[in-house]
Amino acid sequence: MKLPDLVGDQVIVGVAITVPEPFGSQLQDARARLGDPWAAYIPPHITLLGPTAVSPDETAGVEEHLARVASEHAPFVVRLRGTATFRPVSPVAFVQVADGIAGCEALESAVRSGPLAQDLRFHYHPHVTVAHELSDEQLDDAMDELADYDATFVVTRFHCYLRGDDEVWRPRSEFRLTGRATTRGTGAPA
């Protein structure tokens, strides 16, 4: 995971859809069982904004921005099914977002605007990481073990996470999706 360099009293935040229970525990347990040392530090999630440096004086603006985004997007259904990898570009195995991609993309695009506008290193691809920076054999094992994984849930909120000095990502704020649904299924108002 690439972390931004910090200047002064900046902190690192990230924005994500937290995978709800019981699925979150299932995926976190699998990640730990597969030998990923980050399992205890990073809750299972679908990233909307990767690690980003924020100054304390920017926090209020970021919170207002995220609240506005949440108010403009309706809850939507996500189905996690099967596995894939980003190899050879990145040593990551993940559970795929099979349904709800458009909702994730709309939310990610809105989050990554305003005070959180930034360029992406790679095209956005919603997923839930289950093994990261492990050997090819371990990544293959992760893909095999979770190949039949299938879970469906309604996304009703997202979180802004703060990375602690102990490297653990903890929810800082929760934002409930309260926008009206559209026929396009993206959750963004028409």
Side-chain angles (χ1 to χ4, degrees), residues 34-103:
L34 292 161
D36 189 320
W38 293 106
Y41 297 90
I42 305 171
H45 66 280
I46 300 168
T47 299
L48 299 173
L49 179 78
T52 301
V54 176
S55 297
D57 62 340
E58 298 172 313
T59 303
V62 166
E63 296 271 333
E64 289 171 13
H65 169 68
L66 293 174
R68 187 171 41 258
V69 168
S71 75
E72 295 171 350
H73 290 79
F76 60 97
V77 174
V78 161
R79 183 175 187 191
L80 303 176
R81 184 179 63 201
T83 55
T85 183
F86 289 132
R87 288 181 289 179
V89 176
S90 181
V92 173
F94 58 88
V95 172
Q96 299 188 83
V97 174
D99 294 319
I101 293 170

Side-chain angles (χ1 to χ4, degrees), residues 74-75 102 180-190:
R180 61 185 171 87
T182 67
T183 56
R184 293 188 308 269
T186 64

